Amino acid sequence: MLIHDLQVIFVHVPKTAGQSIERAFLARLGESWETRQKYLLQPNDDPAVGPPRMAHLTAPEYRDLGHVTPEQFDAYFKFGFVRNPWTRLASEYRFRRSSIRVSFRSWLLEQFPEPGFDDLWRHVMPQSEYLYESDGHAAVDFVGRFETLEEDYRAVTERLGAGLPSLRRVNSTTNLGSLERLRHLGPFRGLRSVLAEALRKTFRPVPARWQDYYDADTRAFVARFYAEDIERFGYRFDR
């Protein structure tokens, strides 16, 4: 998200409450989700200017693809958030489980997205690639953590002094408890049964705890694939 008026670049690492932060900035600017395109939040089909969702530009791409000058990039306040890689992948799987249609283990070990121009890859790309230069130097001024979201978001608002509103939870992934919402259908019991069965087939029950997604193999896969993130941000499976 690029906001010239506030001299801010928000680097949206997927599955780290990015939409909540974007909506808070839009509210501060008097804009809506429908008018977000002016802040580089629109869909895109041109690899020369960014990924399929411009919101998922890396920090260096804002500069290297010409969205800001090098001077602006150095002067603007740049920030992003990171998350424990094991919880992030569990959340990503729950977010896409209706289209993945395989077990978590199979998705990680057999069908994991590969680098390329698609949103699937951007959603699992190592977080370090969003926030650091290729030489290992930080490309942002502040890195918050999903695990301390409210506290770190307050640090951002204090730094900017921009009158940002509190965060509202959006685009979160939940379990299949949504079937309970079918109760409002009341007398339409037949329709309710059909819809419930369709939901069960589409959204297969998944573990309530993120730790329960993992076995030894999938846990080790994450440790290898996100080794740089784990070392840089100090994450562990059990913390």
Side-chain angles (χ1 to χ4, degrees):
M1 186 178 195
L2 173 59
I3 309 173
H4 285 294
D5 289 347
L6 299 179
Q7 296 191 350
V8 170
I9 296 174
F10 167 55
V11 183
H12 181 168
V13 178
K15 309 309 296 178
T16 62
Q19 279 199 20
S20 295
I21 295 170
E22 288 165 355
R23 288 176 186 269
F25 272 95
L26 290 173
R28 160 64 178 79
L29 296 163
E31 302 284 358
S32 69
W33 195 243
E34 288 67 36
T35 60
R36 67 188 186 279
Q37 292 83 359
K38 66 184 71 174
Y39 304 105
L40 291 184
L41 298 178
Q42 74 273 23
N44 170 55
D45 58 6
D46 183 2
V49 299
R53 289 183 61 192
M54 293 293 282
H56 295 158
L57 283 159
T58 69
E61 284 175 336
Y62 278 95
R63 176 197 61 221
D64 297 344
L65 297 180
H67 299 295
V68 294
T69 66
E71 292 76 19
Q72 288 173 323
F73 187 79
D74 290 341
Y76 286 12
F77 176 64
K78 304 171 290 296
F79 75 100
F81 279 75
V82 295
R83 184 177 185 176
N84 182 312
W86 286 278
T87 70
R88 181 173 174 241
L89 277 194
S91 178
E92 173 67 9
Y93 176 75
R94 290 174 65 156
F95 176 68
R96 296 196 186 272
R97 67 188 185 275
S98 62
S99 58
I100 291 175
R101 299 184 181 279
V102 296
S103 69
F104 181 72
R105 176 184 170 89
S106 295
W107 177 60
L108 246 61
L109 302 183
E110 300 170 11
Q111 299 185 20
F112 199 66
E114 296 182 355
F117 180 73
D118 60 53
D119 196 50
L120 295 175
W121 167 245
R122 288 280 165 156
H123 266 246
V124 301
M125 196 167 76
Q127 297 168 97
S128 295
E129 294 188 27
Y130 279 96
L131 304 172
Y132 283 77
E133 304 281 4
S134 58
D135 62 4
H137 287 87
V140 295
D141 304 297
F142 179 82
V143 177
R145 293 176 183 266
F146 180 86
E147 295 79 12
T148 52
L149 177 63
E150 296 291 342
E151 177 183 348
D152 291 344
Y153 175 72
R154 283 196 299 271
V156 170
T157 62
E158 291 171 3
R159 168 73 179 266
L160 293 174
L164 290 165
S166 299
L167 292 179
R168 297 181 61 186
R169 186 175 180 180
V170 296
N171 202 30
S172 62
T173 52
T174 60
N175 212 328
L176 196 57
S178 58
L179 286 176
E180 293 298 315
R181 298 171 189 167
L182 295 177
R183 289 179 177 177
H184 76 278
L185 292 174
F188 300 100
R189 294 180 180 177
L191 177 59
R192 183 172 61 185
S193 297
V194 171
L195 289 174
E197 182 61 23
L199 282 171
R200 287 190 184 94
K201 290 180 178 179
T202 302
F203 300 104
R204 297 176 303 282
V206 294
R209 298 187 334 128
W210 66 265
Q211 294 93 332
D212 295 335
Y213 281 80
Y214 288 93
D215 58 25
D217 293 334
T218 52
R219 182 172 167 175
F221 172 87
V222 174
R224 290 192 303 271
F225 191 84
Y226 294 107
E228 184 176 358
D229 287 352
I230 291 166
E231 180 179 1
R232 173 168 277 138
F233 304 120
Y235 283 116
R236 287 175 17 191
F237 179 79
D238 57 356
R239 187 177 64 197

